[in-house]
Amino acid sequence: MTTPLALAYEERGSGPALVFVHGFPLDRRMWIGQLEGLAKLRRCVALDLRGHGLSVIDDPNPGFSMDLFADDVAATMDELGVEQADICGLSMGGYVAFAFWRRHRARVRSMILCDTKSEADGDEAKAGREKTAQLVREQGMDLLWDQLGPKLLGSNPTEDARAQLHTMFLAQPPAMIAADALAMRDRPDSTQDLGGINVPVLWIHGEEDQLMPIDGARASAEKVSGSTFVAIPGGGHMAPMENPKAANAALSAFLKG
Ligand code: MLT
């Protein structure tokens, strides 16, 4: 069994901890707008999942899973002296948040689920993950950017958001991104967990998310009793990064409540 790892992170602010988990194939820097905007309310901690950003690992062929990522989040909270946190994940980070809920629920004060979904991959999507893993292993990140980059943002992205995303995307080691793809292929369905989530939940979703259309997320949100759903205008799959003002307003209202 792989030992959980205390991850690299960036933090701002003080008070109760709010832990941010990035999506695929990115790193903690996608949350800079939230760290800057929410530091007055929380100790905001943005993590680099293992193999991403500054959480470098020395393994050319790693095996990842959402459970392992969740256990790394718990190990990092131990390192930070944080018993309980608000857990915020985007897309793959949301899959990690669901795994964290299953494995460490006493440590969850609330959940914020951004541009994510509870369903597992179907057969076609699983085959796509294998192609993605092979593509990045053989050709690096550029071709994946060409395929996926345009689908991540809404219809009218700022040049700044596009450039930041591109930089982050190309900075990730292909072997780690291949391992992410296979871990997402193998993730379980979290839909049956939704009805049992008994902490406050906020869903944030870009109105123009092409990868995970907003109606699916609304349907999932309805399965979590008392959860709040906020649609982000102009936001694609990277809604908190694309429209930090609207996302932070939703987060602030939720956290103050
Ligand atoms: C992500 O943004 O993390 C990915 O789009 C998730 C996925 O491919 O399922």
Side-chain angles (χ1 to χ4, degrees):
M1 201 189 115
T2 311
T3 312
L5 185 72
L7 302 166
Y9 60 88
E10 190 168 337
E11 73 172 316
R12 302 276 164 88
S14 56
L18 165 55
V19 171
F20 293 96
V21 187
H22 60 79
F24 167 90
L26 304 170
D27 66 34
R28 72 192 183 288
R29 290 174 287 177
M30 62 153 289
W31 298 111
I32 191 66
Q34 281 62 54
L35 262 54
E36 285 169 356
L38 301 167
K40 287 202 177 83
L41 282 179
R42 288 288 190 272
R43 179 182 183 189
C44 296
V45 180
L47 307 176
D48 280 335
L49 291 172
R50 68 167 61 212
H52 303 69
L54 300 176
S55 293
V56 176
I57 60 166
D58 185 17
D59 182 349
N61 195 15
F64 292 164
S65 68
M66 297 306 132
D67 286 355
L68 179 62
F69 285 154
D71 291 352
D72 288 345
V73 174
T76 312
M77 285 168 61
D78 292 343
E79 188 82 5
L80 290 162
V82 167
E83 183 47 40
Q84 213 184 31
D86 308 292
I87 305 289
C88 176
L90 180 131
S91 198
M92 182 177 80
Y95 309 156
V96 177
F98 288 128
F100 192 85
W101 170 256
R102 285 190 288 273
R103 296 169 77 79
H104 305 283
R105 68 184 59 186
R107 306 191 72 174
V108 182
R109 183 183 309 109
S110 73
M111 290 170 84
I112 301 111
L113 299 165
C114 309
D115 295 280
T116 194
K117 61 182 175 192
S118 60
E119 297 82 11
D121 282 358
D123 290 344
E124 198 182 322
K126 283 184 199 286
R129 302 295 189 190
E130 283 153 26
K131 281 195 192 135
T132 299
Q134 191 181 359
L135 176 84
V136 293
R137 267 200 224 101
E138 291 175 358
Q139 315 219 32
M141 294 300 290
D142 292 272
L143 272 185
L144 184 63
W145 170 259
D146 292 345
Q147 288 179 10
L148 189 58
K151 297 185 191 150
L152 290 175
L153 296 168
S155 56
N156 195 16
T158 62
E159 185 43 40
D160 207 31
R162 207 199 68 83
Q164 278 176 32
L165 194 58
H166 188 224
T167 303
M168 232 187 306
F169 203 105
L170 294 192
Q172 308 312 317
M176 307 300 142
I177 298 316
D180 282 353
L182 299 182
M184 289 194 287
R185 175 196 63 186
D186 296 338
R187 75 186 191 282
D189 196 307
S190 298
T191 309
Q192 67 271 18
D193 296 315
L194 296 178
I197 299 179
N198 57 0
V199 295
V201 177
L202 170 66
W203 300 76
I204 291 180
H205 212 95
E207 278 180 349
E208 300 179 11
D209 189 333
Q210 297 176 56
L211 288 181
M212 298 183 187
I214 193 165
D215 288 348
R218 279 190 205 282
S220 295
E222 280 166 18
K223 298 191 171 94
V224 182
S225 109
S227 70
T228 306
F229 191 94
V230 176
I232 303 296
H237 189 61
M238 301 300 304
M241 202 180 138
E242 295 173 81
N243 190 344
K245 203 169 158 209
N248 290 354
L251 271 151
S252 296
F254 175 72
L255 295 168
K256 283 181 188 158

